[in-house]
Amino acid sequence: MKQDLVDLHCHLLPGIDDGAKDIGMTLALLRQELADGAAGLVFTPHFYYERTTLEEFAAKRKAALRQTAEAVRRESLPLAAKAGAEVYYTPVLPTLDLSQLCFAGTRYLLIELPTTFHPSGIEDTLYAVQQQGYTPILAHVERYPYVTEDPTLLYRWVAAGALAQVNAAGLIRGGHTAKLLHKYLHWNLVHLLATDAHHPERRPVNLRAGYEALPEKTAARLRQNGIQVFLGRDVDPGEPIEPKFRFGRWV
């Protein structure tokens, strides 16, 4: 298997969130990554400002990273990895030390929005984050009902400088979600593909299958974007197209 993929969103660190429960599961998921063709990945455990302090989170992540690094060396797994986080949206985000939450060695910050309600002030918060020199990456944008109902929200966030990531599972399963994601891609509102892997069976690594569900040129563009982000380089997202609601559907 050619090692040419980068997974920018996964929950593989042991015992830190709802992903891998122990180092055995971590190793099983890392082997899946290698079998899938991953050359690099970013560990992105959940960070919730309302549940823990940044200092406590950083300490737990450091311990999990150390345990994982020791196991990777012991098993001689040829995989490059770096620390990051999936940061749950909070309006106080710009007041935090974002250098501890962005992908290590980069200025990219993965942000998860609420799925049950549309929080006010997203635009102001994202703008404040960008004013500090960070580029927001909006995690799994296919999961937010308010975006599904009104994709011009995503258009505004992307037009203002955010990048958008989707999960491979949405493309692989087909159906309504896949049709929606292909529309997002047509509008140039999606820039990155990742696994959001949590469990070897229930939420496994599936990045290559996700790319294979895309047109070849689209897959190549998203794959290159992922590499650029991993290396901390600029991504040229291109111009987004504003969705229009006509005859009862978004076009």
Side-chain angles (χ1 to χ4, degrees), residues 7-245:
D7 191 1
L8 298 173
H9 180 181
C10 59
H11 298 269
L12 274 57
L13 290 179
I16 192 171
D17 62 7
D18 61 339
K21 299 305 178 186
D22 53 39
I23 193 63
M25 189 176 291
T26 296
L27 287 171
L29 284 160
L30 287 173
R31 291 189 184 99
Q32 283 188 353
E33 293 276 11
L34 285 168
D36 201 44
L41 58 86
V42 182
F43 296 118
T44 54
H46 291 287
F47 171 71
Y48 298 96
Y49 170 77
E50 288 77 10
R51 299 182 189 177
T52 186
T53 67
L54 181 53
E55 292 73 22
E56 289 171 340
F57 169 80
K60 289 181 180 178
R61 184 181 60 183
K62 183 177 181 180
L65 284 166
R66 184 182 300 113
Q67 184 183 12
T68 301
E70 291 171 355
V72 166
R73 283 194 296 269
R74 186 169 61 249
E75 300 292 325
S76 299
L77 300 181
L79 192 64
K82 58 176 60 179
E86 182 181 9
V87 183
Y88 192 74
Y89 174 82
T90 171
V92 306
L93 193 59
T95 70
L96 303 178
D97 180 3
L98 299 179
S99 67
Q100 297 192 59
L101 295 169
C102 63
F103 297 170
T106 82
R107 305 288 285 184
Y108 291 102
L109 183 72
L110 184 66
I111 301 173
E112 178 183 20
L113 302 179
T115 58
T116 56
F117 66 97
H118 176 195
S120 61
I122 291 179
E123 287 83 1
D124 291 340
T125 301
L126 295 179
Y127 177 76
V129 166
Q130 290 171 275
Q131 286 298 103
Q132 295 185 36
Y134 296 95
T135 299
I137 298 174
L138 303 177
H140 43 57
V141 294
E142 72 277 16
R143 292 178 53 182
Y144 309 126
Y146 44 91
V147 173
T148 303
E149 294 166 4
D150 183 5
T152 63
L153 292 173
L154 182 58
Y155 167 80
R156 294 206 300 268
W157 303 333
V158 167
L163 299 178
Q165 174 257 316
V166 297
N167 290 352
L171 291 166
I172 297 166
R173 292 171 185 160
H176 174 74
T177 299
K179 291 180 181 178
L180 177 69
L181 290 181
H182 283 288
K183 283 189 176 183
Y184 288 175
L185 288 161
H186 171 71
W187 296 324
N188 201 24
L189 300 181
V190 168
H191 316 96
L192 299 163
L193 187 66
T195 68
D196 196 9
H198 281 64
H199 189 278
E201 287 84 37
R202 293 193 291 270
R203 297 179 68 178
V205 173
N206 52 9
L207 192 55
R208 188 167 295 277
Y211 280 121
E212 290 173 350
L214 293 172
E216 186 175 342
K217 287 185 178 180
T218 302
R221 175 168 54 84
L222 266 61
R223 191 161 51 239
Q224 184 60 31
N225 287 348
I227 293 171
Q228 293 294 96
V229 168
F230 185 79
L231 295 175
R233 298 172 180 169
D234 291 339
V235 170
D236 180 7
E239 286 297 319
I241 299 171
E242 184 173 6
K244 305 293 184 183
F245 193 72

